[in-house]
Amino acid sequence: MAAAAMRVVVLGCGGSAGVPLIGGSDGCGDWGACDPAEPRNRRLRASIAVCAGGQTLLVDTGPDLRSQLLGNGIARVDAILYTHAHADHITGLDDVRILNRIANRPLPAYGMDVTLSEIRRRFEYAFLPHDARQFFYRPVLLPQIVAPGDDVAMAGITARVFLQDHGFVTSLGFRCGGFAYSTDVVMLDAAALAVLEGVDTWLVGCFQRAPHKTHAHLERVLDWTATLGVRRTVLTHMGTDMDWGWLKHHLPSHVEPAYDGLILEIPG
């Protein structure tokens, strides 16, 4: 696996409904256990951008995509990797048409066959051939099917992708050099653990403190971290149970909660 220097931007680190949830006694949000006075508790849906070699790989196109790119000063994307086809990871796809215009070309979209097939079913128009004589009035994706275990060259990096158990479906994680990303995972098999072993910086989904059917909980992530020998574990895809201040106070020094806009500098 190539180990280029990378800059990883956490575009969003919230669960499928974000933090706060819609509702609350005053209609301004249900924060659960999260302190609304702590700005790092306000979380958009989980997504990252990986910047390397002058290119940017966008991981998932959730419903907050436009505000995420604007808020983090990301004006251009060269390729997209889809972890899975749940709504909180794909329903910002229409905003990709602006990214097509900026790049002036269709964008490659990487993912497992089952993932891209489901996205195509819901957004068929995004996979139609592009007429170069026409303006990008719709998103245009070029599907690139990958399989767990593949080493995939995408937008300036080469990453090994691996399968993750997401409860009722599967998702895709990846590792590039010293960095790995594992959102939406409840269990990891031996093949996935082998890819992750000894990783330096791991951005991993951790939805809540108690066990959950489709997402890893805090104790499980801490066990994984110890088993794998991770130097720095950063928690993402967090729900309203995961107060940033509480986590900073209770987690070991090598484990920390992410926040929207967090930047991880990964050496080559």
Side-chain angles (χ1 to χ4, degrees):
M1 292 175 284
M6 298 183 297
R7 182 173 180 260
V8 178
V9 183
V10 178
L11 301 177
C13 63
S16 61
V19 178
L21 306 178
I22 294 171
S25 59
D26 60 357
C28 294
D30 178 356
W31 292 87
C34 291
D35 179 4
E38 170 53 72
R40 286 165 289 197
N41 279 328
R42 188 175 291 274
R43 301 169 182 139
L44 300 176
R45 269 57 77 94
S47 177
I48 63 172
V50 181
C51 307
Q55 298 188 70
T56 297
L57 172 69
L58 175 65
V59 182
D60 294 328
T61 59
D64 304 312
L65 178 60
R66 176 180 175 275
S67 59
Q68 289 171 330
L69 296 180
L70 288 171
N72 290 280
I74 297 173
R76 179 188 175 97
V77 165
D78 298 280
I80 301 167
L81 171 64
Y82 283 104
T83 60
H84 62 303
H86 280 169
D88 56 316
H89 294 263
I90 68 171
T91 53
L93 193 151
D94 275 332
D95 285 326
V96 170
R97 67 191 176 119
I98 308 300
L99 299 174
N100 288 132
R101 294 177 193 174
I102 293 169
N104 195 32
R105 60 179 173 84
L107 293 181
Y110 298 85
M112 292 184 292
D113 190 12
V114 64
T115 299
L116 296 181
S117 294
E118 175 61 17
I119 298 172
R120 185 194 293 267
R121 186 184 69 82
R122 298 178 64 180
F123 297 90
E124 182 179 7
Y125 54 86
F127 292 85
L128 297 175
H130 175 62
D131 185 340
R133 298 169 297 178
Q134 292 182 336
F135 185 62
F136 282 102
Y137 64 91
R138 60 176 175 85
V140 184
L141 300 179
L142 299 175
Q144 308 290 318
I145 295 172
V146 302
D150 287 350
D151 289 331
V152 186
M154 306 173 287
I157 69 168
T158 299
R160 176 161 297 173
V161 296
F162 54 89
L163 195 65
Q164 302 176 145
D165 183 349
H166 184 21
F168 304 110
V169 298
T170 56
S171 65
L172 201 64
F174 73 89
R175 177 175 180 176
C176 178
F179 173 76
Y181 184 57
S182 294
T183 190
D184 291 73
V185 56
V186 66
M187 289 295 293
L188 293 166
D189 64 14
L193 292 171
V195 175
L196 288 164
E197 186 174 3
V199 69
D200 180 84
T201 302
W202 188 25
L203 186 57
V204 55
C206 185
F207 184 63
Q208 62 187 31
R209 286 174 279 179
H212 190 276
K213 289 183 179 179
T214 60
H215 293 278
H217 63 293
L218 186 55
E219 182 179 0
R220 180 164 294 163
V221 171
L222 293 176
D223 286 345
W224 282 338
T225 295
T227 299
L228 294 168
V230 184
R231 183 189 67 85
R232 183 185 185 187
T233 297
V234 185
L235 309 181
T236 190
H237 206 288
M238 295 177 287
T240 57
D241 181 53
M242 302 287 275
D243 177 67
W244 193 89
W246 185 94
L247 291 166
K248 286 294 288 185
H249 181 72
H250 288 87
L251 291 174
S253 60
H254 63 288
V255 182
E256 65 193 90
Y259 56 86
D260 289 12
L262 174 66
I263 296 174
L264 305 174
E265 299 287 352
I266 312 297

